[in-house]
Amino acid sequence: MAFINIRNKEIQLKIVYYGPGQGGKTTNLLYINKNFSEKIKSQMVTIDTYGDRTIFFDFFPLDLGQINGFDVKIQLYTVPGQSRYDTTRKLVLNGVDGIVFVADMLASMRRKNILSLKNLHENLIKYHKNIFNIPLLFQFNKVDLSQKGYPVLTPERLTDDLNRQLKRPWITASALTGENVALTLKKIISMTTANIKISLN
Amino acid sequence: MIDLDYKNLATGVEERLDEIFADDLRGYNSQITKFQYFETPSLANLKSIIMSLEWEVTDDHLIDLIQEIKRLQKAYSENDQLKKLLRLIFHLGRYIRIHKSHTHPYIFKMLFRFYNSSSKIASGKYSNHENAKIVNNEIKRYLSLKAYLKRENKSIFRRSLKKANTLEESLLSSIDSLSKQKPFASKDASKNHYRNLNNDFKELKKFIYLEIKKLREDLQRIVTLIHKKA
């Protein structure tokens, strides 16, 4: 849930990049870090933790500065996609406000995309969150591979596999070239901010 | 109670993000597509569900399968041949629902086969006569699969019955040998103790005998039922 501090006039949102392993979640953040770190005035941090053996997740604090009198801070996280790191994924999802599901467009990744989305659904339930209610944006990553002759899944097939019931916005992207990476981030932040309904006692 | 003006906040955030990412957002197609559900009859959803089922049998996938078949039956209400194939897929789905993870792997092969034939018919490239031929072949395959599974079930019951008989014999013989064994306790041990132990063995033997007898009767009854149905 979004962290709002009325006294300090501070809003913190947590956005998680979720998806199968090797799908391009970290590459998304690396691109933002490389191209916008000066404007954002922050750096990406890779955290090494213990519990699920040695694992990594990425953290990228994004300071948007003063907006409507509030200091808006966005925390971007990625999760390890490999199935064996489920404990970390659950941990990172704690308090999530918005999710970018980075699906891999490679044809061979079809099942992994489906399983990863299923895993997201199950892990959200553990935090009493509903995948149907949370701001969620699909990013179909590696669109550049189709031009290189690799067998890729069409956006129609991916929406059919993953988004048939959810009916969420989706976008094709290439985290490697940066195509639509910033747009993805902009969209999910907008979706998440628009979703905040806060009333404080 | 303090209410935050989140609508203005959202607009403010969006404007700030436009400032930050201005260069990048201009460079690429900024079209975000809102997903449109396929209203036109399409078998793509069906294939996706069958693939999901092959990967993992879950109630959600089975519910999806039933709903998708219902949707397609409506969408193709005038195509009798396709409706027959969809009905076969529905029956296989029902079989999977009962047997879950113990579903015979051949069922999934058959599901894919029926899907392929359905997409052939839905493509409209074949004549009515050819479509009827495709469907008849698939019905024959379905019936032979059904007969094969019946035979499989029978042999499983026979094997279980044989296993139960062998188990009974081995258990009774081991109990016999145990009860006939001379106690290896010291000479000081009281005679009552051995008598009690012997009685316990006899009771245990009786109990196991009765349990196995019941089990055998149950299995025989099931086999008789199968024979009658066949």
Side-chain angles (χ1 to χ4, degrees), chain A residues 4 6 11 31-32 35-36 39-40 62-68 70 72 74 110-111 114-115 118 121 137 156-157 159-161 163-165 167-171 177-187 189-190 193-201, chain B residues 1-25 27-38 42-49 51-52 54-56 58 60-61 63-65 67-68 71 112 115:
Chain A
I4 324 275
I6 294 288
I11 297 174
Y31 178 84
I32 301 284
N35 294 281
F36 303 101
K39 281 186 185 175
I40 297 162
L62 213 102
D63 196 345
L64 297 185
Q66 290 271 324
I67 298 167
N68 284 10
F70 278 83
V72 181
I74 315 282
R110 192 176 176 193
R111 280 175 174 171
I114 295 170
L115 287 177
K118 192 173 165 276
H121 173 50
L137 172 70
E156 287 73 25
R157 172 54 50 89
T159 43
D160 211 22
D161 280 351
N163 204 6
R164 192 157 43 93
Q165 288 176 308
K167 296 181 180 117
R168 298 309 176 90
W170 56 265
I171 186 169
T177 64
E179 184 178 339
N180 285 340
V181 169
L183 184 64
T184 305
L185 182 57
K186 188 197 156 205
K187 183 68 187 170
I189 294 174
S190 302
T193 318
N195 195 53
I196 315 172
K197 288 179 183 173
I198 321 138
S199 50
L200 300 171
N201 289 312
Chain B
M1 183 183 280
I2 304 159
D3 286 325
L4 183 70
D5 185 0
Y6 61 87
K7 272 189 183 171
N8 277 343
L9 178 79
T11 319
V13 167
E14 199 144 330
E15 283 168 6
R16 182 65 48 85
L17 291 168
D18 279 337
E19 280 171 31
I20 296 170
F21 300 128
D23 300 336
D24 219 66
L25 294 177
Y28 297 106
N29 175 19
S30 61
Q31 184 68 41
I32 290 192
T33 318
K34 183 88 183 163
F35 178 68
Q36 297 293 312
Y37 190 74
F38 289 108
S42 161
L43 293 179
N45 292 344
L46 182 65
K47 190 176 183 183
S48 146
I49 295 166
M51 284 182 86
S52 309
E54 191 209 9
W55 182 249
E56 192 180 12
T58 65
D60 286 347
H61 293 152
I63 290 165
D64 281 352
L65 182 74
Q67 283 175 346
E68 188 59 17
R71 188 180 79 83
F112 277 110
Y115 164 77

Side-chain angles (χ1 to χ4, degrees), chain B residues 72-120:
Chain B
L72 289 171
Q73 276 174 335
K74 269 187 194 170
Y76 290 98
S77 57
E78 288 172 9
N79 193 334
D80 289 336
Q81 303 298 350
L82 188 58
K83 268 165 51 187
K84 279 179 194 168
L85 279 180
L86 290 171
R87 188 98 195 122
L88 293 183
I89 295 174
F90 177 81
H91 282 305
L92 293 184
R94 215 166 52 177
Y95 175 90
I96 297 170
R97 199 172 190 178
I98 295 165
H99 293 82
K100 297 266 168 76
S101 56
H102 300 292
T103 300
H104 196 286
Y106 198 68
I107 294 287
F108 296 106
K109 273 187 185 176
M110 204 56 111
L111 266 180
F112 277 110
R113 204 190 151 80
F114 290 169
Y115 164 77
N116 287 333
S117 299
S118 302
S119 57
K120 266 185 196 172

